[in-house]
Amino acid sequence: PVPFYDTEWADLSQREKEAAMAIGFTEGTWDQTCSPVIPSPGALRQAFGVCSFACIATGCDEQSLENILSIHQSIPLPPQRATDTHASDVNFPGFVWVELGCHPKAAALFSLLNCAEAFAALEKLETRLKVVAAEIGKRLVAWGEIGLDYSHPLFGTSKKNQWFQKEAFKRQIEIGMDLGLPLVIHSRAAWQDTMSILTKQVPRDYRIHVHCFWDTKSAMEELFSAFPKAVIGFSNNIFYAGDIPQELCRCIPLEHVVLETDGPYLPRTGARMSSPGDIPAIGRKVAELKGIPFEH
């Protein structure tokens, strides 16, 4: 079946196509009918609007794992410790780490199959994830995005979809913890089920990052009560209309904050895409909302 969460090249607007091409996509690489090409250093600097950057690339479905291997084979290995301060390779403008996992939307796609085929597809992806994890070695810094997503208007309320996503999520948690990696959680319209699974399977002191958190203050407090070392991500959503992310940002303890972009998704209003180059602006907005100085 065709993934119901993908947008094909033909369905992109001209502005979206220009944004994709700015970072090296072609129609073939976008639709994954041919191998991707790593953009040149100059194209990356121009697209991101910065001279250098650091980011975590995500491999969370069958197609993106091949992109991750291309990145690993083409881009120099980044520093392995926070104390490492050496500059990146002079021919490449950034550091690129990786996170791996089965995205809930990938699990939702499998749920469209019959039960036996769905679990066979999941096991195949899990096997491939472990192979890629072994190959990229120390570049792998987290397990995710994993979690639950019930937000799709057609499939989100499907009991079979929700059940299979939960089964996949439980298995992904075990893989991530076996590897000793922080868990990166994607939760959309599924907070109660997400927390139920996490609290049953994950130790209280485990490292958890809830990606692009966009829920209530009480949900945030529930998370930190259950997992004191958890962090939540703020992205360009703090610039969007509506006060939920901004209100959360004002009241969250700073030690629980992570800045992220979800690039190329969640662009600033009027922008073609998001990128690591957005992080300074997000940081300034967080500082403004919390009434603290911004130090770049």
Side-chain angles (χ1 to χ4, degrees):
V2 176
F4 55 77
Y5 54 89
D6 282 352
T7 302
E8 295 183 354
W9 183 267
D11 297 323
L12 297 178
S13 69
Q14 184 59 35
R15 187 179 183 86
E16 289 169 333
K17 289 178 181 177
E18 290 172 358
M21 289 188 291
I23 54 173
F25 277 105
T26 64
E27 180 175 355
T29 56
W30 183 272
D31 289 338
Q32 296 163 346
T33 57
C34 62
S35 299
V37 176
I38 301 298
S40 68
L44 286 169
R45 291 188 181 98
Q46 183 176 10
F48 293 170
V50 291
C51 294
S52 61
F53 66 90
C55 68
I56 299 176
T58 302
C60 54
D61 57 26
E62 294 169 334
Q63 295 83 10
S64 61
L65 289 181
E66 302 313 310
N67 297 350
I68 290 297
L69 288 175
S70 178
I71 287 171
H72 181 63
Q73 294 159 4
S74 305
I75 295 176
L77 195 68
Q80 301 304 303
R81 302 183 305 275
T83 53
D84 288 346
T85 57
H86 58 78
S88 62
D89 186 285
V90 294
N91 293 317
F92 192 81
F95 297 133
V96 182
W97 291 270
V98 165
E99 65 179 10
L100 297 175
C102 176
H103 196 284
K105 290 184 176 180
L109 174 61
F110 297 151
S111 77
L112 299 176
L113 305 170
N114 67 49
C115 189
E117 291 174 338
F119 276 105
L122 177 60
E123 289 169 5
K124 180 181 177 181
L125 177 59
E126 290 171 343
T127 299
R128 186 64 177 148
L129 283 165
K130 292 173 184 178
V131 169
V132 174
E135 181 164 344
I136 66 176
K138 293 182 179 180
R139 196 186 291 270
L140 179 62
V141 295
W143 199 255
E145 300 167 30
I146 62 174
L148 303 172
D149 192 320
Y150 302 163
S151 65
H152 192 274
L154 178 58
F155 298 95
T157 58
S158 163
K159 295 300 182 184
K160 181 185 176 185
N161 173 21
Q162 294 183 5
W163 169 77
F164 191 80
Q165 282 195 46
K166 287 186 281 189
E167 293 302 305
F169 184 28
K170 294 171 187 176
R171 293 164 60 137
Q172 286 294 299
I173 288 172
E174 291 301 320
I175 295 172
M177 291 198 303
D178 285 346
L179 293 170
L181 293 169
L183 303 177
V184 180
I185 306 301
H186 174 112
S187 182
R188 297 288 181 272
W191 185 249
Q192 184 176 354
D193 284 350
T194 300
M195 283 299 295
S196 176
I197 292 172
L198 286 173
T199 52
K200 288 176 182 176
Q201 287 194 237
V202 181
R204 175 175 169 80
D205 63 348
Y206 207 79
R207 295 167 296 167
I208 295 174
H209 165 205
V210 181
H211 156 69
C212 287
F213 187 82
W214 210 327
D215 217 300
T216 64
K217 181 181 178 182
S218 62
M220 181 181 74
E221 292 170 345
E222 178 188 16
L223 173 69
F224 296 149
S225 176
F227 301 103
K229 292 183 179 180
V231 296
I232 66 175
F234 289 94
S235 63
N236 283 320
N237 61 354
I238 62 171
F239 295 102
Y240 293 174
D243 59 0
I244 291 178
Q246 293 192 7
E247 181 57 32
L248 292 175
C249 187
R250 290 188 183 96
C251 64
I252 185 176
L254 197 58
E255 62 268 24
H256 291 295
V257 172
V258 166
L259 306 182
E260 59 180 338
T261 65
D262 200 29
Y265 308 106
L266 297 180
R268 291 277 297 274
T269 302
R272 299 186 301 178
M273 63 180 181
S274 65
S275 79
D278 292 346
I279 290 296
I282 296 169
R284 289 188 187 93
K285 186 63 175 180
V286 169
E288 174 193 324
L289 291 168
K290 297 194 72 62
I292 58 176
F294 173 76
E295 297 179 6
H296 189 270

